[in-house]
Amino acid sequence: MSAPSDTAAQAHESDWLDHAIRAGLVAYGVVHLLVGWLALQLAFGEKEDSASNAGALHYLAQQPLGEALVWMVAIGMFLLVLWRLLEFGFGYREESDDAKRWRKRATSLGKAVLYGAIGWSAVQTVTGSGGGQGGTDSTTSKLMDLPGGQLIVGAVGLAVIAYGGVLVWRGWKEKFREHLDSEGQTGKDGSVYVTLGKAGYIAKGIAIAIVGGLFVYAAVTHDPDKSGGLDQALQTVREQPFGQVLLTIIALGIACYGAFCFARAKHLSR
């Protein structure tokens, strides 16, 4: 009889997990396409929902068969959580450097938390249990009230900026190619996929870095109202000189990231 750890390790290498990952990536792509669409609406002053993951899910729920689609997104996100948790527990065994292996596993755990947050948001959207619009600023306010809260908020902001910077770097250097099989990187289709990935990673990284910047600004000014999520970050872009043009470019880039998720699902390499 196999030990539970052996069974989990086998699951991590199984074909069925590949199918689960593909389904999750499609769901993740749908969310990003909708965020891009809402950001584009914001750029032209016609916003229907907040340009964020939660706003995208709410927007999707209002469409025909919307609740069923949101449930599908939730399931897809939780499948990605399962993948990343298995990766955290049993992945990267080929790495000879222990520090590098555990760094990659920690990254997988962080992504599991991210996917889980989107999946939980989808469940709340479809069940109506969101509990109102507490908002990022209320969370920041609670952090500010903790001992050393101002430093905590600043550190969170810097970490978010760093994550955004990593995405921009991965996009510019085309490090995302490792997520595509050889067929997905060659020929005319491969060129399109790589272009989508490059635009998507850079745009998403810039947007996330702006979110981090808002946290740092909130920490420096000791004003939690200055912090905000993706929607507020994009509104900040909109308010700058040439903001409409910049926000349009970012919106299209986020949509490109969503399209790249579809390409990654088709040409999965892990």
Side-chain angles (χ1 to χ4, degrees), residues 156-196:
V156 169
L158 292 175
V160 173
I161 291 173
Y163 177 59
V166 168
L167 290 179
V168 172
W169 175 77
R170 287 185 64 82
W172 185 255
K173 294 292 187 178
E174 298 182 0
K175 295 293 185 180
F176 56 83
R177 282 176 175 265
E178 66 187 10
H179 299 315
L180 300 172
D181 61 22
S182 57
E183 184 180 351
Q185 300 183 48
T186 57
K188 291 183 179 180
D189 287 347
S191 296
V192 172
Y193 299 153
V194 171
T195 300
L196 289 172

Side-chain angles (χ1 to χ4, degrees), residues 25 42 58 70 75 78-79 90 109 111 117 139 142 159 180 189 192 200 204 217 254 261:
L25 287 171
L42 174 61
H58 183 265
V70 175
I75 293 170
F78 292 138
L79 288 173
F90 307 98
L109 183 60
K111 289 181 178 180
T139 302
K142 293 176 182 177
L180 300 172
D189 287 347
V192 172
K204 183 177 178 179
Y217 186 54
I254 292 173
C261 288

Side-chain angles (χ1 to χ4, degrees), residues 119-142:
W120 180 242
S121 180
V123 171
Q124 289 182 312
T125 297
V126 80
T127 60
S129 59
Q133 300 294 322
T136 306
D137 55 346
S138 64
T139 302
T140 307
S141 180
K142 293 176 182 177

Side-chain angles (χ1 to χ4, degrees), residues 2-142:
S2 299
S5 60
D6 293 336
T7 302
Q10 291 171 4
H12 178 251
E13 302 296 334
S14 65
D15 290 339
W16 72 260
L17 184 60
D18 284 346
H19 297 310
I21 293 169
R22 288 188 172 97
L25 287 171
V26 169
Y28 199 44
V30 167
V31 172
H32 280 82
L33 284 177
L34 291 174
V35 171
W37 170 242
L38 292 172
L40 195 61
Q41 289 183 333
L42 174 61
F44 290 93
E46 300 176 355
K47 187 176 67 165
E48 296 181 36
D49 278 293
S50 67
S52 63
N53 293 332
L57 293 168
H58 183 265
Y59 178 82
L60 182 60
Q62 306 308 308
Q63 309 310 308
L65 302 177
E67 289 192 1
L69 293 174
V70 175
W71 273 118
M72 292 174 67
V73 168
I75 293 170
M77 290 298 98
F78 292 138
L79 288 173
L80 290 181
V81 171
L82 175 62
W83 167 37
R84 292 303 188 181
L85 289 177
L86 288 172
E87 200 171 58
F88 169 71
F90 307 98
Y92 310 113
R93 291 182 172 182
E94 72 282 359
E95 289 288 350
S96 58
D97 186 334
D98 287 345
K100 187 175 182 180
R101 179 169 60 251
W102 281 105
R103 185 167 63 250
K104 287 185 175 182
R105 286 182 172 180
T107 299
S108 294
L109 183 60
K111 289 181 178 180
V113 172
L114 171 64
Y115 297 146
I118 298 174
W120 180 242
S121 180
V123 171
Q124 289 182 312
T125 297
V126 80
T127 60
S129 59
Q133 300 294 322
T136 306
D137 55 346
S138 64
T139 302
T140 307
S141 180
K142 293 176 182 177

Side-chain angles (χ1 to χ4, degrees), residues 184-240:
Q185 300 183 48
T186 57
K188 291 183 179 180
D189 287 347
S191 296
V192 172
Y193 299 153
V194 171
T195 300
L196 289 172
K198 192 161 191 170
Y201 270 82
I202 291 174
K204 183 177 178 179
I206 290 172
I208 289 175
I210 295 171
V211 173
L214 293 176
F215 273 93
V216 172
Y217 186 54
V220 171
T221 60
H222 208 286
D223 184 356
D225 292 338
K226 300 298 184 182
S227 70
L230 181 59
D231 184 69
Q232 187 170 334
L234 295 177
Q235 288 187 50
T236 300
V237 172
R238 178 68 174 83
E239 293 165 0
Q240 306 310 307

